[in-house]
């Protein structure tokens, strides 16, 4: 190593700054405060934020250099590298049984202790208490881990020098409006490192739309008020389209004679129609009579290599909270454990794939060339990719698995 580089290298390893690096950071810090005054304040003023609120929000706020995805002023964002890490090993670790069982046990205790509150929430918003509890448990461990960062530090840093400055500037202005409305003081507005706030983990723009004052104290306090936090979760789901009186879905057994390439919310059919194809619930119980007349959708998140489901539109409302099949399944399973004492899905998650995202993306590109709609060509096997694989397999006389694998050569 060249002698003049050694001090900088050792400083980086030790988390220290050389005088030059410290000077650079000090200069950027000055630019940040100049940006707050010259660029952000006029926008905040246009949105009705009082000057006293603006000053209080940024009193003592400095850039947080430890946050990810930062780009200093004058620098170009790093080029996105082609994704190559393994993405498609078994989903089983996502549903780690010990953790799920513990979370469900705490959820059952909270369900009993908050029965009246949850009943009032369900009456108001139509969302069952078990679903609200499951989301609360998944997001913040029932409020135990809701974020310890200053929201204005996080959002200010990211709005000034992240790879998504426009998005975070919008959220920063929303945070200022929240304080201006009197719901929370600047010092009490805590968030995650990504800016998600309180027990429901709302971004500020979501808070403005979905947070509610359910305890009647005149403030929407999703940080400290359990009634406000839980009702806000329910209000979010209700506004996203939760269908009152319906479940989220059912683990199912799909016979080999029924194609797995019928998956997706755009291929909804009455659940009675799915039942007539021979699809049954793995529990052995029939589909509820009130569900048979309503639409359901096939879901095979690991193709034929994992649990299979018939889900309702409410499953996709859960995905609005976090756009992941596994996330929504986790919440649904946790909710069932809380309410009914049920356990893990009966279907086993196969040790599937071990595919690189770049390889899956190449498979998607081949399917697109053949005329298939795979959704976004991003190396992630969403439902359109899964069913396109199944359709290609069927067209070539193969047993459809509806999931990418190393030995599958699509051309």
């Amino acid at each position: 190593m060249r002698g003049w580089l050694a001090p900088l290298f050792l400083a980086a390893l030790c988390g220290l700054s050389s005088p030059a690096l410290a000077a650079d950071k000090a200069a950027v810090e000055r630019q940040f405060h100049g940006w707050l005054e010259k660029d952000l304040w006029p926008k905040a003023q246009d949105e009705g934020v009082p000057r006293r609120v603006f000053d209080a929000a940024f009193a003592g706020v400095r850039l947080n250099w430890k946050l990810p995805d930062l780009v200093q002023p004058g620098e170009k964002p790093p080029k996105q590298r082609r994704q190559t890490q393994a993405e498609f090993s078994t989903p089983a670790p996502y549903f780690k049984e010990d953790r799920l069982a513990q979370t469900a046990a705490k959820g059952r205790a909270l369900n009993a202790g908050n029965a009246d509150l949850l009943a009032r929430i369900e009456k108001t918003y139509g969302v069952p208490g078990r679903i609200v509890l499951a989301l609360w448990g998944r997001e913040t461990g029932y409020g135990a881990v809701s974020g310890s960062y200053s929201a204005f530090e996080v959002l200010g840093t990211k709005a000034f020098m992240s790879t998504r400055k426009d998005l975070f500037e919008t959220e920063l202005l929303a945070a200022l409006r929240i304080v201006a409305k009197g719901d929370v003081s600047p010092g009490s507005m805590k968030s995650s490192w990504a800016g998600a706030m309180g027990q429901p983990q709302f971004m500020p723009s979501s808070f403005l739309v979905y947070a509610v004052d359910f305890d009647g104290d005149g403030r929407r306090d999703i940080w400290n008020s359990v009634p406000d936090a839980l009702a806000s979760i329910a209000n979010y789901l209700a506004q996203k389209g939760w269908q009152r009186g319906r479940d989220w879905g059912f683990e199912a057994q799909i016979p080999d004679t029924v194609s797995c390439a019928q998956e997706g919310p755009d291929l909804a059919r009455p659940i009675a129609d799915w039942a007539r194809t021979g699809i049954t619930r793995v529990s052995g119980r029939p589909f509820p009579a009130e569900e048979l007349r309503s639409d359901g959708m096939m879901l095979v998140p690991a193709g034929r290599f994992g649990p299979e489901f018939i889900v309702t539109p409410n499953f996709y409302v859960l995905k609005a909270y976090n756009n992941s099949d596994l996330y929504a399944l986790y919440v649904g399973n946790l909710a069932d454990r809380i309410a009914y004492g049920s356990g893990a899905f009966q279907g086993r998650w196969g040790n599937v794939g071990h595919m690189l995202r770049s390889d899956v993306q190449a498979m998607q590109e081949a399917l697109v060339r053949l005329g298939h709609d795979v959704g976004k060509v991003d190396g992630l096997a969403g439902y359109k990719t899964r069913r396109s694989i199944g359709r290609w397999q069927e067209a070539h006389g193969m047993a459809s698995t509806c999931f990418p694998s190393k030995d599958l050569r699509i051309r």
Side-chain angles (χ1 to χ4, degrees), residues 327-344:
Y327 177 92
L329 287 171
Y330 185 104
V331 170
N333 180 247
L334 178 57
D336 290 350
R337 289 171 185 247
I338 289 170
Y340 312 128
S342 55

Side-chain angles (χ1 to χ4, degrees), residues 186-360:
S188 298
M189 185 180 277
K190 300 298 183 181
S191 76
S192 71
W193 61 265
M197 306 185 309
Q199 298 185 46
Q201 288 292 276
F202 283 172
M203 294 300 288
S205 59
S206 291
F207 178 103
L208 288 172
V209 177
Y210 304 111
V212 296
D213 171 23
F214 205 71
D215 62 12
D217 69 352
R219 297 184 301 117
R220 296 175 292 176
D221 184 2
I222 63 172
W223 293 268
N224 304 298
S225 169
V226 170
D228 288 3
L230 299 190
S232 295
I233 291 172
N235 184 45
Y236 180 97
L237 296 177
Q239 291 202 45
K240 290 295 184 179
W242 186 273
Q243 295 185 5
R244 186 185 290 262
R246 298 206 64 189
D247 211 320
W248 68 269
F250 310 92
E251 188 180 359
Q253 178 65 50
I254 301 175
D256 292 340
T257 54
V258 177
S259 171
C260 58
Q262 301 178 77
E263 180 182 14
D266 54 341
L267 298 180
R269 301 164 58 180
I271 290 179
D273 287 358
W274 291 115
R276 279 191 285 271
T277 69
I279 296 175
T280 58
R281 293 177 66 184
V282 296
S283 66
R285 296 189 293 273
F287 290 105
E290 63 273 16
E291 293 280 6
L292 289 172
R293 299 184 297 273
S294 301
D295 278 349
M297 303 84 163
M298 180 186 292
L299 176 75
V300 286
R304 289 292 192 175
F305 303 114
E308 302 164 338
F309 303 88
I310 295 296
V311 298
T312 77
N314 286 341
F315 175 84
Y316 295 96
V317 175
L318 294 178
K319 285 188 66 175
Y321 218 97
N322 184 320
N323 190 24
S324 160
D325 288 338
L326 298 184
Y327 177 92
L329 287 171
Y330 185 104
V331 170
N333 180 247
L334 178 57
D336 290 350
R337 289 171 185 247
I338 289 170
Y340 312 128
S342 55
F345 294 131
Q346 293 186 35
R348 299 286 299 274
W349 296 102
N351 191 20
V352 294
H354 297 288
M355 297 282 292
L356 303 180
R357 267 183 73 171
S358 53
D359 291 340
V360 176

Side-chain angles (χ1 to χ4, degrees), residues 74-93:
E75 292 184 353
K76 293 182 178 180
K79 291 183 178 179
Q80 291 188 348
R81 292 180 292 180
R82 191 174 178 87
Q83 180 61 266
T84 58
Q85 80 261 25
E87 288 285 338
F88 294 103
S89 57
T90 174

Side-chain angles (χ1 to χ4, degrees), residues 366-411:
L367 286 164
V368 168
R369 287 194 296 271
L370 294 170
H372 291 273
D373 176 10
V374 301
K376 190 174 182 180
V377 179
D378 57 1
L380 299 175
Y383 75 90
K384 288 186 176 180
T385 294
R386 296 194 295 260
R387 74 186 183 194
S388 292
I389 290 172
R391 289 169 179 175
W392 182 88
Q393 289 170 318
E394 291 168 359
H396 288 78
M398 304 167 62
S400 58
T401 64
C402 297
F403 208 74
S405 61
K406 288 183 177 180
D407 59 355
L408 195 58
R409 299 288 182 265
I410 297 177
R411 51 175 72 89

Side-chain angles (χ1 to χ4, degrees), residues 2 13 49 66 70 121 132 147 150 154 161 163 220 236 272 280-281 297 302 307 320 324 346 375 395:
R2 295 185 184 273
L13 284 179
V49 176
K66 295 181 180 180
L70 300 184
I121 289 173
V132 174
S150 160
V154 169
M161 60 174 193
T163 57
R220 296 175 292 176
Y236 180 97
T280 58
R281 293 177 66 184
M297 303 84 163
S324 160
Q346 293 186 35

Side-chain angles (χ1 to χ4, degrees), residues 104-119 122 128-134 136 142 230 335-341:
K106 186 170 183 179
R108 284 192 289 273
L110 289 167
N111 191 32
N114 293 276
D116 291 343
L117 169 63
L118 292 168
E122 181 168 2
R130 70 182 190 278
I131 296 292
V132 174
L133 284 173
W136 187 32
Y142 305 109
L230 299 190
D336 290 350
R337 289 171 185 247
I338 289 170
Y340 312 128

